[in-house]
Amino acid sequence: MAEKRVVLLLVDGLRPDVAESALARGDLPALEAMVREGSTGRGVTVFPSTTSVAYLPFLTGCTPGRCNVPSIRWLERTRYSGRWWRDSELVRSYCGYQAGRLDGDVTPGIRTIFELVPQSLGIFTPVAKGLTSERDPSRAERKFWGALAHYLEWHQPSDEAVRRHLLRGIDGPWRFIFAQFPAVDGYTHQSTPRAPRVLRALRRVDDTVAAVRARLAARGELEDTLILLVSDHGAAEVKVHLDLADWFRVQGARTLSHPIIWEKEPQAAVMIAGNGSAMVYAQPNVPRTERWGIDRLRRPESFGARGDPIAALTAEAAVAFVAAEERPETVRVASNDGEAEIVRAGDQIRYRPLTGDPLEIGGETSRTDAEWLESTWDGPYPDAMVQLLDQFRAGRTGDLIVVAREGYDFRRRFEVPEHKSGHGSLIRAHMQIPVWASVPGVTTPMRSVDLFPAMLEWLGEPIPEGIDAQPVWSPARVATVA
Ligand SMILES: [Zn+2]
């Protein structure tokens, strides 16, 4: 029997509807040939819906909360005490020179697929735990092109580098390849999720898929290779920017935020993700293990603000809702519609409106994790119950999570380049992802994390104990039955 292989292609920031309409128009002939025998579906990513964080589920089978990597920027709140130099390592941003810290920040004991399947290749991957430099051949190029693309808004060369390494890799010995294509996300940020240059980059990915399939077919390996095309998040146009760090300053709070990561006696630390959500830490220079609940955060002195900061925040048009932890496994959500509570009890999660229905569920409801996914994946906040509880599993998560409404973000006022589209929020346009497979029967909806055991099963590898993923889809069984 020929050896089973997996190629996981991640088109960063690709919206499922954009991909589906390109497919329907006949713009993606290689992917069309792939899914004709295989299948297309949709999944949901994790919160916050941002690059790096949202790669962890595919590559570890664990959620960001479990990995203790709750966002692309965070503060080690149990240890940070405001010392200028000695504590600077306790404030993280994977967007700059600390990008390489991600692997070491993941909860010890969580293993990547690269560690579980030693014959792996990672191409343009920000999660590289377990990869030697030969197995991460584009490491230097990723940094080089990434920096250039960021400032020159020129993203296609990155995808060309991915293509080169991918095609070279296919010809060598391997069992698992992960390749990330950054151009769709880059061009989306500069324009819109459906802009001509985004579609051009997507057509070029299709061309790469054609070359991959041709090489596999020439080696007689196409049948035994599971090819998956996914993304890590969607995107939506941004019309209004609300600089959340400046917002806290206007409220009277001395505020710590990137890119300047030191502030004398800060009263708030604002950590933005992607740019549609943020974590806010109250009194961040006083190390603390417990988080403050929403009633405490409403007190002006919590952030050194002049009034009730929660009331002021939820009155902003940019803010869909805020969330805080009451106690472990209990989250309070507040919007301009009022407050509700999310409580995990055994295998059920109960959503209970208190003074309102911020998550637009319609009333008190108790469901399992799987039922919540099923009932909310196409709603305004897909999988919100599970995702919000997960955020607060991470010790590094702040006291308050602020979620932007569609059309808004929390970017810095002078960010270069300006983001005309973004992601990071819990809204449907950011949370839904395509899940396309070269084998039939891909399940809709699926959580991104659930692809991890599916890939290992295809490879005939044991699935590690204690991961967050569920065995919702079994590509191996479907393929044998067919
Ligand atoms: Zn992005």
Side-chain angles (χ1 to χ4, degrees):
M1 204 181 88
E3 194 164 40
K4 298 275 191 189
R5 293 181 161 79
V6 173
V7 178
L8 175 62
L9 305 174
L10 190 151
V11 182
D12 198 291
L14 177 62
R15 281 175 61 134
D17 52 349
V18 169
E20 287 157 15
S21 22
L23 187 69
R25 279 195 307 270
D27 280 355
L28 309 174
L31 285 162
E32 194 181 323
M34 179 182 105
V35 300
R36 200 178 303 130
E37 287 147 35
S39 48
T40 59
R42 285 190 189 192
V44 297
T45 187
V46 288
F47 178 78
S49 47
T50 52
T51 305
S52 310
V53 184
Y55 288 24
L56 289 166
F58 295 112
L59 300 174
T60 67
C62 293
T63 59
R66 176 75 191 297
C67 291
N68 203 14
V69 178
S71 188
I72 49 169
R73 299 185 179 92
W74 47 260
L75 184 137
E76 193 80 272
R77 61 189 183 85
T78 58
R79 286 160 60 206
Y80 185 80
S81 63
R83 292 172 301 182
W84 170 70
W85 179 249
R86 290 180 65 187
D87 284 355
S88 59
E89 276 305 301
L90 301 175
V91 185
R92 188 70 83 244
S93 168
Y94 299 121
C95 303
Y97 74 98
Q98 293 177 323
R101 301 290 165 82
L102 180 61
D103 287 342
D105 289 336
V106 173
T107 305
I110 291 180
R111 287 185 298 165
T112 64
I113 191 165
F114 305 130
E115 292 170 292
L116 296 168
V117 184
Q119 279 197 324
S120 287
L121 272 183
I123 299 166
F124 264 56
T125 178
V127 179
K129 195 164 160 262
L131 290 174
T132 58
S133 47
E134 310 90 80
R135 300 202 163 276
D136 183 7
S138 60
R139 194 174 289 187
E141 259 178 284
R142 183 169 76 88
K143 285 176 192 152
F144 173 74
W145 288 118
L148 215 62
H150 184 78
Y151 295 105
L152 302 181
E153 308 198 339
W154 190 40
H155 304 282
Q156 195 58 46
S158 297
D159 275 21
E160 296 305 318
V162 175
R163 175 189 170 100
R164 218 166 40 243
H165 285 287
L166 174 60
L167 297 182
R168 196 181 299 154
I170 290 276
D171 288 333
W174 57 277
R175 292 180 63 213
F176 173 72
I177 297 183
F178 172 63
Q180 189 254 129
F181 295 86
V184 162
D185 183 65
Y187 290 127
T188 298
H189 281 299
Q190 275 175 244
S191 50
T192 70
R194 281 180 193 76
R197 56 197 137 161
V198 173
L199 300 175
R200 207 180 307 133
L202 179 58
R203 285 197 299 273
R204 183 64 174 158
V205 171
D206 184 77
D207 195 61
T208 300
V209 171
V212 166
R213 282 171 50 88
R215 285 177 192 222
L216 287 171
R219 287 166 50 135
E221 289 167 358
L222 191 56
E223 292 285 289
D224 290 301
T225 303
L226 169 64
I227 305 176
L228 293 164
L229 180 116
V230 298
S231 72
D232 56 334
H233 55 73
E237 266 187 88
V238 177
K239 300 274 198 267
V240 183
H241 305 294
L242 173 76
D243 184 327
L244 199 64
D246 268 4
W247 184 92
F248 273 89
R249 290 182 189 110
V250 169
Q251 303 295 310
R254 285 189 303 277
T255 302
L256 174 76
S257 71
H258 286 94
I260 298 151
I261 55 153
W262 189 79
E263 172 79 31
K264 190 176 159 54
E265 291 168 17
Q267 295 159 303
V270 175
M271 304 276 144
I272 310 285
N275 293 320
S277 68
M279 300 196 296
V280 189
Y281 301 73
Q283 307 298 329
N285 60 334
V286 182
R288 175 155 57 84
T289 48
E290 82 292 355
R291 273 179 281 251
W292 289 348
I294 214 151
D295 291 335
R296 170 116 196 221
L297 295 172
R298 282 186 182 284
R299 294 187 211 156
E301 68 273 16
S302 290
F303 294 110
R306 276 184 276 276
D308 171 349
I310 303 298
L313 262 180
T314 53
E316 290 286 347
V319 175
F321 62 83
V322 300
E325 187 183 46
E326 290 303 295
R327 54 189 170 277
E329 315 246 273
T330 299
V331 172
R332 192 74 73 82
V333 184
S335 75
N336 59 3
D337 189 55
E339 281 189 22
E341 197 171 62
I342 304 169
V343 185
R344 182 180 284 287
D347 70 343
Q348 299 276 310
I349 299 173
R350 192 178 73 236
Y351 174 77
R352 191 162 66 96
L354 302 168
T355 57
D357 181 13
L359 297 182
E360 300 173 40
I361 299 299
E364 184 165 339
T365 312
S366 201
R367 300 185 201 278
T368 63
D369 291 40
E371 291 164 351
W372 275 118
L373 174 65
E374 190 68 44
S375 63
T376 61
W377 79 277
D378 210 21
Y381 306 112
D383 208 26
M385 308 303 157
V386 171
Q387 299 298 330
L388 289 170
L389 285 167
D390 181 68
Q391 267 287 289
F392 289 107
R393 283 166 89 192
R396 290 165 176 154
T397 295
D399 294 290
L400 190 69
I401 290 167
V402 189
V403 173
R405 206 180 286 285
E406 183 155 349
Y408 295 85
D409 75 2
F410 301 141
R411 72 185 278 270
R412 301 194 306 272
R413 188 160 298 166
F414 302 111
E415 187 174 55
V416 178
E418 184 187 355
H419 280 188
K420 298 194 173 110
S421 293
H423 49 86
S425 177
L426 246 175
I427 59 174
R428 179 176 46 219
H430 295 181
M431 290 296 289
Q432 285 194 4
I433 55 167
V435 181
W436 295 6
S438 61
V439 303
V442 76
T443 310
T444 296
M446 190 190 292
R447 291 190 180 95
S448 57
V449 73
D450 297 332
L451 277 174
F452 179 81
M455 295 188 295
L456 286 177
E457 189 190 311
W458 178 269
L459 292 169
E461 290 290 329
I463 292 157
E465 302 267 307
I467 57 174
D468 295 314
Q470 297 296 318
V472 298
W473 177 50
S474 180
R477 201 168 334 121
V478 171
T480 341
V481 171

